[in-house]
Structure formats: C-alpha cells, structure tokens
Amino acid sequence: MTAETFRGNFTQQEPIPEEGIEAAIAVLRHGRLHRYNTSKDEIAETALLEQEFAALVGAKYCLAVASGGYALGCALRALQVGHNEPVLTNAFTLAPVPGAIAACGARPVFVDVTADLTLDIKHLEVQARASGARLLMLSHMRGHVCDMDALMDMCVRLGITVIEDCAHTMGGAWGDVASGRHGAIGCYSTQTYKHINAGEGGFLVSDDAELMARAILLSGSYMLYSRHLAAPEPEVFARIRLDVPNVSGRMDNLRAAILRPQLKLLPQRVARWAELYRALEQGLADTPGLTLTLRSSQETFVGSSFQFLLNGWSAARVGLFVSRALARGVELKWFGAPDPVAFTSRYDHWQYADPTPLPQTDRILSGLIDMRVPLTFTPEDCALIARIIRQEVLIVGQGAEPATLSVPLIQ
Ligand SMILES: *Cc1c(COP(=O)(O)O)cnc(C)c1O
C-alpha cells in the first residue's frame, strides 16, 4: 500500500463573503476610502464596524486601526509607557508583540511558557518583582489562554495593568467573558491569517474612557473624534487633545466594508474551527511520543491552529519528522529550529531585547510543533492529516537517531 499524501493548501483562506465584496465595490465606486471622508449624514463603514465590534465583545469603546501590531503599540502609548520601561510579555509569542514594545522605546521582559502553552503565572510573579514592571502585554499565543481568574488576581495584587493580545482569540472566551475583556485594553488583528480577513487591520477595545480617547487621538483622528460611534464623550477628548501626539495608524473604509459581514460569521467560524480541531485531536490521541496540550474547561478557544509536543526529542529527530511530514503534504512549523523560519521566531532570536535564557521555555519550544488550520479544510482533511502525523511520529520516534539535522524550509 502506498502512503497517503495530503494535497490541501495550509495558507489558503476562504474568499471574502459576497456581501463584503459588494460593500467594498460600493466604497470603491464612491471613492471615500478615508474614514473621515464622509458625505453629509453619511456614517463611515469604519465607524459602523467599531460599533459592531464593541457590541460583539461587550466593550464600551472600540477603535479600528491599521494592524494588530499597531493596536499593541497604540495600547502601550495610551498607557503612557516610558522610555526603557520594562514591559512583561510572553517568551512564546509572535515577533510583533516584543516588536511593539521595542517600537515604543520600552523593554520586553520575557515570562516562561508552560507545557500547556500558556503564560507561566508563577514565573510572571518572579519577573514582575524582579523588574518592577507595571505593564503586562499578555499574548494568548495560538489561542492558548492561561487561568485568567488567577492571572487577574495576581495582577491586581501586584498593581500590574494588563493589555491582552487577542490575535488568536477573537471569538473566544474565558468563562463567559469574551477574550480581550479582562485587561484594561484588548487588541485584535484582522490580518489574513487570523479569524476575520481584511489583509491587514486591527482593533483596540476598552471600557476606560481616557485610555480610549488617547488611543483615538494617537491613531490620527485629526480632531474628528466626534465622528466615531464607539468613542467616549467629547469632554474626555477636550481635556487631553493637545497632549497626545498623532501616530497615524487608522483603518480605512474599504477594509471596514470587507470586515463587517465577516463579523456576523464569526460565531459560525468558531464552531467550524472547533470541529476541525476535534478531528485532529481525535486522530492524534494516544500517539506514543506525541503530547497534546490540555485545554481548560473554562476556555472557549478558536481552533485556527493546532499544536503538539514531541517532548525530549533531539533536534535531528524533530527535523527528520517535519521533513517527512512535508514530503507527504503536511506543513508543520517547528518552534525549536535553530534559525527562525517564516513565522516561528523565538524569544532568544529577538536579540534587540537582550533576552536572558529561559531553560523551561527552551525545553518546551524545542519539541513544539505548530500547524495552521484554514477553514478551507474539511474534517476529513483533518483526519487524513492526523493519520499522516501519527504514522510519521511512530516511524521517526521509534527509528534510529538521525545522523544529521535537516531543517525543512517551509514558507
Ligand atoms: C498576527 C499577530 C499579531 C499582530 O498582528 P498583525 O495584524 O500581523 O500586525 C500579534 N500577536 C500575535 C500573537 C499574532 O499572531
């Protein structure tokens, strides 16, 4: 019997819904793409999108911006982060997170990851006390959410303000609170690989009037903040409007038009991702050598990606496994590779942040395998992918130690 191969595309998203295409064409036809370029009595698509997103997550205020990374930087500036100020963040996250901290002239202080791929709350306390940081940029990396009740208790106790990076948790929740609604500010991305797709884009949400007024002024509102629908009252702006610099990073009406119909589809997408995730999880259960991550019963997660651990495997063995899976059409990313490949950079690659070694994180990331799960996949596709991974884990895990390290180049 010949080995099965998967022929799907791990980076192919679904098309934009017809309603979004129609709305985008309408914006192109009238030409008023800038969010403050409205005709008499017209409400901009961007302002409507903000109102709808605020309602979706149950926030008082929302601001749409140019990218998820911009949202993170804007949140830090709204909190008036100082030059060289320490900002706690996850050692396991994506490069734009420490990048946003560094771009503000602040200094990332990395916190360990646990075997469940969440922030290590005990290590957070250690790093918080050692650095004296007053800010935590908490990244729900790959949709894994730490115990938010325990985390928020600790942050209140230590006087730490939390910014949530919800790039992978839009549509998710902890208990009955939407992801992004525990901290002072929640940030989201609408980049193509996230849960709603405008190419680029992002949101900030908050219930704090002054923070949101600062964020709106920062984003480049040219004193036209009264055209927002999910913004604080003008009096809040009046107090600070001349004290906040313009760091332009607005969203435009074309992207907002594409996103509005997708917001309505989000609950449906979360349910479809859950089905794909379950197919992978079932297909990989009880595979010797492979460890699945535990999810808390409190967590409503979005299965837009899938992770597992090959604990204790040598780099050569993991490299061989990833190469063999790729030869059968299964594109996996490995967070333990010596050099960053595509999206898999690691805290110790971020040399500008002068990272201190974190042995626990190193051990976990050395065997961490990550996979995208686009909604163009079916549950049958996921079952096939799981069969291939399972077979290759058994073959490579039980075979002889490979002589050389082969690192497959996946884009
Ligand atoms: C994608 C991503 C971001 C940033 O989003 P962009 O819209 O690409 O700037 C931030 N954090 C994480 C964990 C991400 O994956």
Side-chain angles (χ1 to χ4, degrees):
M1 196 185 90
T2 54
E4 292 179 296
T5 302
F6 179 63
R7 308 212 175 272
N9 181 346
F10 283 80
T11 53
Q12 181 60 56
Q13 308 301 317
E14 291 191 299
I16 301 303
E18 281 306 318
E19 196 188 337
I21 296 174
E22 294 291 327
I25 289 173
V27 171
L28 291 173
R29 290 229 155 92
H30 67 52
R32 293 183 294 278
L33 273 73
H34 191 284
R35 67 169 296 164
Y36 300 119
N37 180 202
T38 47
S39 62
K40 194 173 173 301
D41 299 330
E42 183 186 17
I43 299 175
E45 290 279 347
T46 311
L48 291 167
L49 173 69
E50 288 166 345
Q51 191 177 44
E52 290 160 1
F53 192 75
L56 181 83
V57 298
K60 272 195 185 155
Y61 311 118
C62 174
L63 171 67
V65 293
S67 74
Y70 181 87
L72 296 172
C74 185
L76 287 166
R77 289 190 179 93
L79 285 159
Q80 296 174 282
V81 67
H83 184 72
N84 216 24
E85 180 176 334
V87 178
L88 299 156
T89 195
N90 307 54
F92 171 49
T93 185
L94 213 71
V97 178
I101 298 170
C104 292
R107 187 162 51 84
V109 175
F110 296 112
V111 179
D112 267 324
V113 67
T114 67
D116 296 328
L117 305 184
T118 61
L119 188 83
D120 184 333
I121 296 178
K122 287 201 197 79
H123 192 233
L124 174 69
E125 178 157 16
V126 172
Q127 295 293 70
R129 290 190 191 283
S131 65
R134 66 173 179 110
L135 299 175
L136 165 64
M137 184 166 275
L138 171 64
S139 184
H140 303 303
M141 177 62 169
R142 293 294 187 259
H144 297 270
V145 180
C146 68
D147 181 334
M148 289 304 293
D149 302 318
L151 177 106
M152 291 311 297
D153 282 352
M154 173 178 294
C155 288
V156 168
R157 194 153 47 75
L158 297 175
I160 292 174
T161 300
V162 180
I163 301 166
E164 288 180 80
D165 167 23
C166 304
H168 303 153
T169 54
M170 183 193 287
W174 176 264
D176 47 19
V177 178
S179 190
R181 301 293 297 126
H182 290 85
I185 302 180
C187 299
Y188 306 79
S189 169
T190 65
Q191 190 238 75
T192 293
Y193 297 115
K194 314 298 162 95
H195 303 167
I196 55 175
N197 173 11
E200 303 287 353
F203 295 111
L204 286 92
V205 299
S206 184
D207 285 349
D208 184 307
E210 184 168 323
L211 278 182
M212 188 50 78
R214 282 187 188 281
I216 291 171
L217 291 166
L218 280 161
S219 76
S221 59
Y222 300 116
M223 303 301 165
L224 295 169
Y225 41 76
S226 62
R227 302 225 194 136
H228 287 239
L229 298 176
E233 297 301 314
E235 304 79 77
V236 185
F237 290 89
R239 274 189 266 128
I240 55 173
R241 65 204 280 267
L242 304 180
D243 295 329
V244 181
N246 175 327
V247 186
S248 275
R250 295 168 303 274
M251 182 177 280
D252 58 86
N253 289 331
L254 184 58
R255 279 178 202 167
I258 292 171
L259 289 171
R260 289 182 61 212
Q262 294 184 62
L263 271 192
K264 289 186 270 181
L265 295 176
L266 188 60
Q268 215 173 303
R269 289 184 180 176
V270 173
R272 288 169 61 204
W273 261 313
E275 202 186 340
L276 300 181
Y277 192 95
R278 273 196 300 274
L280 287 163
E281 204 173 43
Q282 275 167 18
L284 292 173
D286 306 316
T287 302
L290 181 153
T291 306
L292 295 173
T293 51
L294 284 179
R295 315 290 311 224
S296 163
S297 59
Q298 292 278 83
E299 203 186 346
T300 303
F301 60 90
V302 187
S304 52
S305 68
F306 192 90
Q307 292 74 37
F308 58 87
L309 292 161
L310 299 172
N311 287 324
W313 284 35
S314 68
R317 208 182 278 278
V318 180
L320 177 62
F321 160 72
V322 174
S323 305
R324 288 183 55 112
L326 183 60
R328 295 179 65 182
V330 176
E331 267 185 43
L332 302 171
K333 296 181 187 296
W334 173 31
F335 273 91
D339 256 337
V341 178
F343 293 85
T344 58
S345 73
R346 233 183 11 231
Y347 80 95
D348 54 319
H349 298 136
W350 304 324
Q351 291 293 322
Y352 61 83
D354 195 16
T356 316
L358 297 170
Q360 172 180 315
T361 294
D362 292 344
R363 182 168 44 74
I364 291 163
L365 296 189
S366 69
L368 176 59
I369 304 295
D370 175 40
M371 187 175 88
R372 288 184 198 282
V373 185
L375 281 177
T376 49
F377 287 4
T378 63
E380 294 71 36
D381 289 335
C382 290
L384 168 59
I385 291 166
R387 281 198 299 282
I388 293 172
I389 292 174
R390 188 182 164 88
Q391 286 161 8
E392 295 301 333
V393 164
L394 291 174
I395 293 168
V396 177
Q398 292 167 7
E401 177 67 25
T404 54
L405 173 63
S406 56
V407 181
L409 282 173
I410 302 172
Q411 291 314 309

